[in-house]
Amino acid sequence: MRKRIVIGQAGGPTPVINATLAALADGLISNHDVSYVLNGYEGLAKGAIITGGEAIHTKIADHRSIPGACLGSGRYPSTEQSLSDALRNLRSWQMDTLIMIGGDGTMSALSRLERMANKEGYPLQVIGVPKTVDNDLGGTDHAPGFGSAANYVAQSVLDSSRDLMSMNNFEQVRILETMGRNSGWLAAASGLFCQHEEEGPHVIAIPEIPFDKVAFLKKVDYALTKYGHALAVVSEGVRLPETGSQSNSVNGREVLGGISESLKQEVHDTFGVNVRAEILGMNQRSLSLAVSSRDAEEAGWAGTHATKLVEEGISGVMVSFERDQSPVYRVKMKEVTLEKVLTIGERKLSKEFIDHPERYYEWLRPLVGEVMPVYPAPVRKEDNYVSPKA
Amino acid sequence: MRKRIVIGQAGGPTPVINATLAALADGLISNHDVSYVLNGYEGLAKGAIITGGEAIHTKIADHRSIPGACLGSGRYPSTEQSLSDALRNLRSWQMDTLIMIGGDGTMSALSRLERMANKEGYPLQVIGVPKTVDNDLGGTDHAPGFGSAANYVAQSVLDSSRDLMSMNNFEQVRILETMGRNSGWLAAASGLFCQHEEEGPHVIAIPEIPFDKVAFLKKVDYALTKYGHALAVVSEGVRLPETGSQSNSVNGREVLGGISESLKQEVHDTFGVNVRAEILGMNQRSLSLAVSSRDAEEAGWAGTHATKLVEEGISGVMVSFERDQSPVYRVKMKEVTLEKVLTIGERKLSKEFIDHPERYYEWLRPLVGEVMPVYPAPVRKEDNYVSPKA
């Protein structure tokens, strides 16, 4: 059956979100009437779509490996009013199917839209395709976007550690702040490539563990004393007991960030050393240099699997990755009900991975593309040190 | 003549500074007694060196493509006392030759050391090898380290622009702050890869041009109105007329940074939009993912040329790149007196390049490796826009 389908992107972009979109277009344009909605749920509510036609499909295919959500994404509040406007527009466009690429907010809005449509007797098929750099989406082993972001974080932290190490007569402590919202997946990924104890990260703070200032400073102190420098990684979602999280509200949405700056002051006051706080920033979700080839490939698979769901008439689901238990990395493409995704809620780093970083790294390695930079042991004073004769 | 040679690294690292060091070791270890000084001028003053031997040479060769200065670098004040201590150590070690890889501070200290040695009748050969991500070193067409940093900045800004573009219903202005000290080379490199007007940077502020708030805000306004978002790039060395530069003093050295945060407030107050300020950070001088292959290669050439100067007994010079006037990019390795380097002082972006960005880009393109990411034109509303029927 030829369907009228509209596809959109929502939430913070990833460097591979357009790979998912391109795969959807590839799979659907020959048998269906495909349109694209601009700026995610805002475009649905306000009625801004681009209808099919060779030119737009080609343009979307050209964006396959370009970061950012090429249709426009954004954060638009999913109020009853905006969803009801969206539904009215979908009906007026006579859409059979709505496919949204997004994270947990997107899945929640999709689920509500489906329920509202059902109530009106409008047989709207809704399909969610996952994307998130934070990896906090339930119902899937992982989501496209995370592997590239983790690769960026791991490589940045390794390279930054070599930089810090060589400057430790000038700067002794560096605190790097990662994305991740209320989950520690990205911050915990920071140690993936480090192989020598000087490199660090010498301490990682994640939202899953209540922040313990004394323990944090103790680890900094240990590294400072032993190596002359300490590299700390802290997730944006970490809350300081006294002040709560570091966040601002923008358009009613909590935007995290700034914990590293508070800790900088703390470390400086405690040890009297030179401390730099740095936010790893938007490059985590956009730098094309850090794209994991596997992540990009899987982002395409997610789109392709969604096209199968369209044909099968399945609705109210999110595409999901199920990892085989085999020693070789292998995933099966599945789907999971939106209800289940929402019931699971924000997915945290598991206790097993927190307690056993090596198990987490083993789980993570295939997602960043299995490229493991091999850095030699640092040059050390002990490498034949000559004390002054003078 | 078999010489006793000591090699060091000083100042902020680059991702290719170890390529220079490895090339020096490659060229010198068979015919000379080579030692390495730890932590730059601090190691010279305090007498911390690693003497030759197969193991350390191998370790240094292994660091060829690793970011950070593997011998330790740092910022150590070049006081009369510390230089005199350094000279005493060099004499006690019976060194014939001192080779330092560094920037303008390094060259200045080298020159003073040579003068002091001459005065004592100590025939010390001194050779400087350039490195800087800021490209503010005179007497050379460019310096190793800059090409990779420029590549990082250009790619980050392009990718960040695609991210911003897709989120402009949430975040309207992004201000990215680059390194560069008192020169605008890096900030001006930010537009190198951008090909579509929506991408920006829509305004670039560099230290060479007195900051004009009205003009800056006007350009932001223009982009905001036309595209719905504005991307600004500002060099850390830009001074606000009212407050002067944003800097802190660390160990007596001015550390720049923070101008983007001041401008964020200004833009927010003027337009009432959501603004993000972001410092591109240490990745500019360390991220291995952004290394330009030409930059890495040339960093090796600089080291190799220094080995020739050792053999020729030339002293008081810095290795220099001279660019051919041919249409094809080609450089000659030369040397320039330290005196000349110091007379030129901090090199600024030329008026020609400021007035004609396309000439600057043409000059810059070979240094970042001639890889030009080709991004398709953004998806636009005009690509067949359907207004709501509802």
Side-chain angles (χ1 to χ4, degrees):
Chain A
M1 183 189 109
R2 191 163 189 93
K3 289 183 176 180
R4 291 174 62 82
I5 300 170
V6 62
I7 309 175
Q9 296 172 309
T14 81
V16 299
I17 189 172
N18 292 329
T20 300
L21 180 66
L24 279 164
D26 289 348
L28 296 171
I29 54 171
S30 10
N31 302 321
H32 303 281
D33 298 322
V34 178
S35 302
Y36 306 94
V37 65
L38 297 171
N39 301 323
Y41 286 98
E42 180 180 14
L44 279 182
K46 296 188 177 168
I49 61 168
I50 294 177
T51 58
E54 201 50 49
I56 181 64
H57 296 317
T58 304
K59 205 167 198 181
I60 279 164
D62 286 348
H63 276 83
R64 201 180 300 271
S65 59
I66 308 296
C70 72
L71 298 178
S73 172
R75 304 196 191 285
Y76 193 73
S78 296
T79 59
E80 281 301 301
Q81 185 58 52
S82 70
L83 291 180
S84 141
D85 290 346
L87 203 59
R88 195 189 59 233
N89 284 323
L90 288 163
R91 283 196 93 143
S92 80
W93 296 326
Q94 301 174 291
M95 289 297 167
D96 300 301
T97 303
L98 169 65
I99 305 175
M100 293 296 278
I101 309 166
D104 53 358
T106 303
M107 300 310 154
S108 160
L110 264 188
S111 170
R112 286 164 65 196
L113 266 179
E114 189 189 34
R115 240 177 298 135
M116 288 163 77
N118 284 350
K119 220 183 254 175
E120 294 182 15
Y122 166 27
L124 178 70
Q125 180 185 31
V126 309
I127 297 169
V129 192
K131 71 85 209 150
T132 164
V133 292
D134 303 318
N135 207 37
D136 57 355
L137 197 49
T140 180
D141 178 74
H142 60 279
F146 171 64
S148 298
N151 188 40
Y152 178 76
V153 167
Q155 189 66 57
S156 293
V157 169
L158 173 61
D159 289 341
S160 198
S161 79
R162 290 299 180 130
D163 178 273
L164 175 64
M165 207 183 285
S166 65
M167 291 297 278
N168 71 13
N169 65 358
F170 178 71
E171 177 183 336
Q172 290 77 38
V173 180
R174 195 171 287 175
I175 305 173
L176 300 175
E177 179 173 328
T178 70
M179 290 182 172
R181 298 212 305 188
N182 299 307
S183 298
W185 298 93
L186 271 183
S190 63
L192 179 68
F193 293 154
C194 296
Q195 295 147 80
H196 307 284
E197 51 177 323
E198 294 98 320
E199 291 167 342
H202 304 106
V203 49
I204 299 177
I206 57 174
E208 285 82 351
I209 311 216
F211 186 74
D212 177 343
K213 196 167 79 180
V214 174
F216 179 87
L217 291 174
K218 212 170 150 185
K219 285 182 184 167
V220 169
D221 188 30
Y222 178 84
L224 260 179
T225 308
K226 189 157 182 202
Y227 314 117
H229 62 266
L231 185 79
V233 172
V234 54
S235 167
E236 62 180 4
V238 167
R239 264 85 174 151
L240 292 186
E242 49 274 42
T243 56
S245 70
Q246 301 293 308
S247 66
N248 299 301
S249 175
V250 179
N251 301 356
R253 183 188 161 92
E254 188 186 26
V255 177
L256 296 162
I259 173 86
S260 53
E261 199 61 37
S262 313
L263 290 175
K264 169 183 169 173
Q265 205 49 52
E266 196 78 55
V267 172
H268 176 78
D269 294 348
T270 308
F271 301 107
V273 294
N274 184 15
V275 188
R276 184 191 300 271
E278 200 167 277
I279 293 181
L280 285 177
M282 292 299 110
N283 272 346
Q284 290 168 92
R285 71 181 199 198
S286 63
L287 192 69
S288 51
L289 298 172
V291 167
S292 144
S293 53
R294 172 160 279 140
D295 190 27
E297 190 182 22
E298 289 189 347
W301 293 351
T304 304
H305 190 72
T307 67
K308 286 187 203 154
L309 301 175
V310 169
E311 306 299 347
E312 292 166 11
I314 296 173
S315 183
V317 294
M318 181 185 85
V319 169
S320 151
F321 290 79
E322 186 181 274
R323 195 188 287 230
D324 265 12
Q325 289 304 317
S326 68
V328 177
Y329 177 80
R330 201 175 288 137
V331 285
K332 278 197 200 83
M333 299 311 301
K334 300 214 146 186
E335 59 279 350
V336 53
T337 62
L338 291 172
E339 207 177 325
K340 189 170 171 199
V341 173
L342 299 174
T343 307
I344 297 170
E346 268 188 330
R347 193 169 61 139
K348 309 287 186 180
L349 192 62
S350 68
K351 196 175 173 320
E352 185 196 352
F353 285 168
I354 293 172
D355 293 343
H356 302 281
E358 72 287 357
R359 291 190 203 162
Y360 175 51
Y361 294 156
E362 197 183 333
W363 176 91
L364 177 59
R365 203 161 281 123
L367 307 186
V368 303
E370 315 222 32
V371 181
M372 177 75 186
V374 179
Y375 282 21
V379 173
R380 298 179 175 117
K381 284 186 188 168
E382 298 73 37
D383 290 334
N384 191 3
Y385 178 69
V386 176
S387 60
K389 293 177 201 159
Chain B
M1 184 189 109
R2 193 165 186 90
K3 289 183 176 181
R4 290 175 62 81
I5 300 170
V6 62
I7 308 175
Q9 296 170 310
T14 82
V16 299
I17 190 172
N18 292 329
T20 300
L21 180 66
L24 279 164
D26 289 347
L28 295 171
I29 53 171
S30 11
N31 301 320
H32 303 282
D33 297 323
V34 178
S35 302
Y36 306 95
V37 65
L38 297 171
N39 300 323
Y41 286 98
E42 180 179 14
L44 280 181
K46 296 188 177 167
I49 61 169
I50 295 177
T51 58
E54 201 51 49
I56 181 64
H57 295 317
T58 303
K59 205 168 200 180
I60 279 165
D62 286 347
H63 276 82
R64 201 179 300 269
S65 60
I66 308 297
C70 72
L71 297 178
S73 173
R75 304 195 190 284
Y76 193 73
S78 295
T79 59
E80 281 301 301
Q81 185 59 52
S82 70
L83 290 180
S84 141
D85 290 347
L87 203 60
R88 195 188 60 234
N89 283 323
L90 288 163
R91 283 196 92 143
S92 81
W93 296 326
Q94 300 174 294
M95 288 298 166
D96 301 301
T97 303
L98 169 65
I99 305 174
M100 293 296 278
I101 308 166
D104 53 358
T106 303
M107 299 310 153
S108 161
L110 264 189
S111 171
R112 286 164 66 195
L113 266 178
E114 189 189 33
R115 242 177 297 135
M116 289 162 76
N118 283 349
K119 219 182 256 174
E120 294 183 14
Y122 165 28
L124 179 69
Q125 180 186 31
V126 309
I127 297 168
V129 192
K131 71 86 210 153
T132 164
V133 292
D134 303 318
N135 207 35
D136 57 355
L137 197 49
T140 180
D141 178 75
H142 60 278
F146 171 64
S148 298
N151 188 40
Y152 178 75
V153 168
Q155 189 67 58
S156 294
V157 169
L158 173 60
D159 289 341
S160 198
S161 80
R162 291 299 182 131
D163 179 271
L164 175 64
M165 207 182 288
S166 65
M167 291 297 277
N168 71 13
N169 65 359
F170 179 71
E171 177 182 334
Q172 290 77 37
V173 180
R174 194 171 288 174
I175 304 173
L176 300 175
E177 180 173 328
T178 69
M179 290 183 171
R181 298 212 304 187
N182 299 307
S183 299
W185 298 92
L186 271 183
S190 62
L192 180 68
F193 293 155
C194 296
Q195 294 147 80
H196 307 283
E197 51 176 325
E198 294 98 321
E199 290 167 342
H202 304 105
V203 48
I204 300 177
I206 57 174
E208 284 83 351
I209 310 217
F211 186 73
D212 177 343
K213 196 167 79 182
V214 174
F216 179 87
L217 293 174
K218 213 170 149 185
K219 285 181 183 167
V220 169
D221 189 29
Y222 177 84
L224 260 179
T225 308
K226 190 158 182 200
Y227 315 117
H229 62 267
L231 185 79
V233 172
V234 54
S235 168
E236 62 180 2
V238 167
R239 263 83 173 151
L240 292 186
E242 49 271 44
T243 56
S245 71
Q246 301 291 312
S247 66
N248 298 301
S249 175
V250 180
N251 300 354
R253 183 189 161 91
E254 187 186 27
V255 176
L256 295 162
I259 172 85
S260 53
E261 200 60 37
S262 313
L263 290 176
K264 168 183 169 175
Q265 206 49 52
E266 196 77 55
V267 172
H268 176 77
D269 294 348
T270 307
F271 302 107
V273 294
N274 184 15
V275 187
R276 184 191 300 272
E278 200 168 277
I279 293 181
L280 284 177
M282 293 298 111
N283 272 346
Q284 290 169 91
R285 72 180 199 200
S286 63
L287 191 69
S288 51
L289 298 173
V291 167
S292 143
S293 53
R294 171 159 280 140
D295 190 27
E297 190 182 22
E298 289 189 349
W301 293 351
T304 304
H305 189 72
T307 67
K308 287 186 200 153
L309 300 174
V310 169
E311 306 299 347
E312 293 166 10
I314 296 173
S315 182
V317 293
M318 180 185 87
V319 170
S320 152
F321 291 79
E322 186 180 276
R323 196 189 285 230
D324 265 11
Q325 288 304 314
S326 67
V328 177
Y329 176 80
R330 201 175 288 136
V331 285
K332 279 198 199 82
M333 301 309 302
K334 299 215 144 185
E335 59 280 350
V336 53
T337 62
L338 291 172
E339 208 177 325
K340 189 171 170 198
V341 173
L342 300 174
T343 305
I344 297 170
E346 267 187 332
R347 193 169 61 138
K348 310 288 185 176
L349 192 62
S350 68
K351 194 175 173 323
E352 186 197 350
F353 285 168
I354 294 172
D355 293 342
H356 303 280
E358 71 288 357
R359 292 191 202 160
Y360 175 51
Y361 295 156
E362 197 184 333
W363 176 91
L364 177 59
R365 202 159 282 123
L367 307 186
V368 303
E370 314 221 32
V371 181
M372 177 76 187
V374 178
Y375 282 22
V379 174
R380 299 181 175 115
K381 284 186 188 168
E382 297 72 38
D383 290 335
N384 191 3
Y385 177 69
V386 177
S387 61
K389 294 179 201 160

